[in-house]
Amino acid sequence: MRTDRKLNMTMLCDFYELTMANGYFESGYADRITYFDAFFRSVPDKGGFAIAAGLEQLIDYIEDLHFTDEDIEYLRGRKLFSEKFLTYLKDFKFTGDIWAVPEGTPIFPREPMVTVRAKAIEAQLLETFTLLTLNHQSLIATKANRIVRAANGRGVMEFGSRRAQGSAAAIDGARAAYIAGCIGTACTISDQLYGTPALGTMAHAWVQMFDSEYDAFKTYCELYPTNAVLLVDTYNTLKSGIPNAIRVFDEVLKPKGITKCGIRLDSGDIAYLTREARKMLDEAGWETCTITVSNSLDEYLIRDLWLQDAKVDAFGVGERMITARSEPVFGGVYKLVAVEDDRGNVIPKIKISENVGKITTPHFKKLYRFIGNDTGKAIADYLCVHDETVDDSQNIEIFDPEATWKRKTVYNYTARELLVPIYQGGKLVYERPALEEIKKYCASQVDTLWDEYKRFENPETYRVDLSQKLYDIKQGLLHDNSNSNE
């Protein structure tokens, strides 16, 4: 196996995308303009919404989209591809258009996160990586946001690199967690690449390395007096760990006038130990000393800690965040929704299934979010055909496509178009925001959702509606295909 060359991520595609691309080329469909939507069907953990993430990595992928001579030689060796097609791949690049929901946006099932308009081969070859990056980062961002909300304003640190499913999952997962509200990560390289603040304290090995717990704490405080967070549960938390920490804080930090310090708990009855630790620290005059806890936490365990009156200032969350352990698959899909004929007319396409949830919404579409002018809260999302416009002054009657008797009139709102241009004619037109901007944007957008959509269990279903025109087109295609199969 070759391990001495740089991977060309263009080849990170399902093999059938290449065989279909060759088939399109040989059948005269290479230049046919197609429209694909990337979307997901259900929110992980049966939550009320998901968080979009992964667009940055998709852009990086498209910017470097090409086939090397070595790639083409490999494909030639498979003896499935025509020489004309392999010659076509030598100068391959993306020339189409892409629209996407900005990272950090709350998103809902069956609405497009990304729409690709491109020649058939170009659009098809984007499928795997588009889904890979959107599925993974949106999954981690969604889980992280749940955990951050459970923390009730206390800081959450991402501590999961050693349990992540591969290096890319650790690096990009830390980025997604930061977008969703984490204050930093233990993953150093993610800080180096993306600017997610690298944070950390010490391991049990540090404490064990010294002749005594006291010596370990004292040495650490002398080395890092402005970042002194001590792990106090290596031996006995209440009998030695906290007393030794207090002694060292008094001896090393207090003479320097430093009041900022902390302890971390990683085992035991966390709720009880934090209550006792808070008492001991306060009685010793270290009211400013923070308490950080870790140890296989998630949103439910954090919520339980509050119910037990735990005294916690920050959380370190690892495996259950970085792997989204409770539901580790996002389930995004990439489906053809339209093609253009020789005159440039957009022809809607639909995928039909006996499983109703797998029936796609056809056509080249716009996606709006209605925000109440009086509340600042999201009312509903609205999918319409690309040539429709929404007038904010117009009252709109919306209904649930799965329960058409549930109708509601929307008024006094601002309609915000969610899908923004990313590429036009193969050129990147999107100004990529800084990571801090994405994080602030995410927090502000989650704040537009009513609390009933934020419940961890049995949240209200947010309304994602179709315009009457789009609804009629979908029903017409369903009817036509039903008749054609009789």
Side-chain angles (χ1 to χ4, degrees), residues 22 31-32 42 84 92 97 111 133 144 201 207 213 222 229 267 280-281 306 355 368 400 417 453 472 474 479:
N22 182 74
D31 293 332
R32 186 169 197 182
S42 61
K84 288 183 178 180
F92 180 82
D97 308 321
E111 57 186 26
T133 186
T201 58
V207 181
E213 187 177 53
E222 288 173 341
V229 181
S267 60
M280 296 170 70
L281 291 165
W306 295 135
N355 182 338
Y368 288 96
D400 185 337
E417 200 165 344
Y453 304 121
D472 291 342
K474 183 173 183 177
H479 179 268

Side-chain angles (χ1 to χ4, degrees), residues 378-448:
I379 301 170
D381 285 5
Y382 188 71
L383 276 167
C384 61
V385 181
H386 67 97
D387 57 4
E388 293 186 89
T389 57
V390 173
D391 183 349
D392 292 351
S393 64
Q394 176 186 6
N395 291 351
I396 293 183
E397 187 175 58
I398 62 174
F399 60 89
D400 185 337
E402 295 181 1
T404 56
W405 65 88
K406 295 181 180 179
R407 294 179 180 266
K408 178 179 181 179
T409 300
V410 179
Y411 58 93
N412 190 26
Y413 64 91
T414 297
R416 181 162 65 90
E417 200 165 344
L418 293 186
L419 290 165
V420 300
I422 309 298
Y423 281 88
Q424 291 181 352
K427 181 180 178 181
L428 179 65
V429 296
Y430 181 63
E431 186 173 342
R432 298 195 244 187
L435 191 62
E436 288 294 334
E437 293 179 53
I438 300 173
K439 181 180 181 181
K440 290 177 181 177
Y441 168 78
C442 180
S444 69
Q445 295 307 298
V446 171
D447 193 50
T448 67

Side-chain angles (χ1 to χ4, degrees), residues 35 117 337-341 343-348 363-364 386:
Y35 296 78
R117 176 192 178 272
V337 293
V339 298
E340 288 185 13
D341 64 18
R343 293 172 292 178
N345 298 312
V346 181
I347 311 300
H363 226 306
F364 176 31
H386 67 97

Side-chain angles (χ1 to χ4, degrees), residues 145-442:
N145 188 257
R146 288 169 64 89
I147 292 170
V148 167
R149 286 185 282 121
N152 288 336
R154 274 69 164 187
V156 176
M157 295 169 281
E158 186 281 308
F159 277 2
S161 297
R162 63 193 63 187
R163 300 288 175 80
Q165 289 147 333
S167 56
I171 297 166
D172 293 341
R175 176 184 182 275
Y178 189 70
I179 286 173
C182 287
I183 62 173
T185 176
C187 185
T188 308
I189 193 173
S190 187
D191 186 10
Q192 183 182 34
L193 292 175
Y194 300 130
T196 55
L199 303 170
T201 58
M202 61 172 63
H204 294 292
W206 173 272
V207 181
Q208 294 171 293
M209 193 72 66
F210 291 80
D211 291 337
S212 70
E213 187 177 53
Y214 166 78
D215 290 334
F217 289 173
K218 184 177 181 182
T219 303
Y220 196 87
C221 285
E222 288 173 341
L223 289 170
Y224 308 110
T226 60
N227 189 38
V229 181
L230 307 178
L231 183 60
V232 297
D233 65 346
T234 303
Y235 303 122
N236 190 302
T237 301
L238 300 181
K239 289 184 177 180
S240 68
I242 297 173
N244 279 326
I246 291 171
R247 179 184 172 189
V248 169
F249 293 156
D250 286 340
E251 293 176 356
V252 179
L253 302 187
K254 188 175 288 184
K256 298 177 184 292
I258 297 173
T259 59
K260 182 182 177 182
C261 58
I263 64 169
R264 179 164 72 94
L265 291 163
D266 190 51
S267 60
D269 185 339
I270 296 294
Y272 167 72
L273 290 174
T274 60
R275 292 196 302 267
E276 293 302 305
R278 187 75 271 161
K279 290 177 188 177
M280 296 170 70
L281 291 165
D282 290 353
E283 288 172 359
W286 287 98
E287 295 90 348
T288 56
C289 180
T290 60
I291 300 174
T292 298
V293 301
S294 50
N295 188 26
S296 298
L297 299 173
D298 61 17
E299 65 269 41
Y300 299 107
L301 291 171
I302 290 173
R303 185 177 61 181
D304 286 348
L305 287 175
W306 295 135
L307 294 175
Q308 297 171 65
D309 196 30
K311 306 299 181 183
V312 183
D313 300 292
F315 298 90
V317 183
E319 63 186 57
R320 297 190 183 191
M321 179 190 293
I322 203 66
T323 65
R325 179 179 171 181
S326 54
E327 191 165 339
V329 177
F330 193 68
V333 294
Y334 186 84
K335 299 298 181 183
L336 180 71
V337 293
V339 298
E340 288 185 13
D341 64 18
D342 294 339
R343 293 172 292 178
N345 298 312
V346 181
I347 311 300
K349 296 286 185 176
I350 192 169
K351 176 188 177 297
I352 296 176
S353 171
E354 292 183 4
N355 182 338
V356 175
K358 289 192 173 184
I359 297 175
T360 59
T361 300
H363 226 306
F364 176 31
K365 300 176 286 293
K366 290 180 181 177
L367 175 62
Y368 288 96
R369 179 157 297 164
F370 297 152
I371 305 293
N373 291 331
D374 54 342
T375 64
K377 299 294 187 182
I379 301 170
D381 285 5
Y382 188 71
L383 276 167
C384 61
V385 181
H386 67 97
D387 57 4
E388 293 186 89
T389 57
V390 173
D391 183 349
D392 292 351
S393 64
Q394 176 186 6
N395 291 351
I396 293 183
E397 187 175 58
I398 62 174
F399 60 89
D400 185 337
E402 295 181 1
T404 56
W405 65 88
K406 295 181 180 179
R407 294 179 180 266
K408 178 179 181 179
T409 300
V410 179
Y411 58 93
N412 190 26
Y413 64 91
T414 297
R416 181 162 65 90
E417 200 165 344
L418 293 186
L419 290 165
V420 300
I422 309 298
Y423 281 88
Q424 291 181 352
K427 181 180 178 181
L428 179 65
V429 296
Y430 181 63
E431 186 173 342
R432 298 195 244 187
L435 191 62
E436 288 294 334
E437 293 179 53
I438 300 173
K439 181 180 181 181
K440 290 177 181 177
Y441 168 78
C442 180

Side-chain angles (χ1 to χ4, degrees), residues 104-118:
T105 304
I107 49 176
F108 301 92
R110 295 181 293 280
E111 57 186 26
M113 301 167 62
V114 170
T115 293
V116 177
R117 176 192 178 272

Side-chain angles (χ1 to χ4, degrees), residues 8 10-11 13 15 17-23 25 30 64-76 80-94 121-122 125:
N8 177 17
T10 302
M11 294 292 282
C13 63
F15 192 66
E17 289 162 22
L18 290 163
T19 55
M20 285 192 293
N22 182 74
F25 186 89
D64 192 39
L65 202 60
H66 70 286
F67 289 90
T68 68
D69 291 341
E70 192 170 9
D71 298 333
I72 292 171
E73 192 58 34
Y74 158 76
L75 294 175
R76 181 177 286 114
L80 291 170
F81 305 99
S82 72
E83 281 300 317
K84 288 183 178 180
F85 175 67
L86 296 176
T87 300
Y88 162 84
L89 292 184
K90 288 184 178 181
D91 298 317
F92 180 82
K93 63 179 181 179
F94 183 73
I121 294 176
E122 296 175 24
L125 286 174

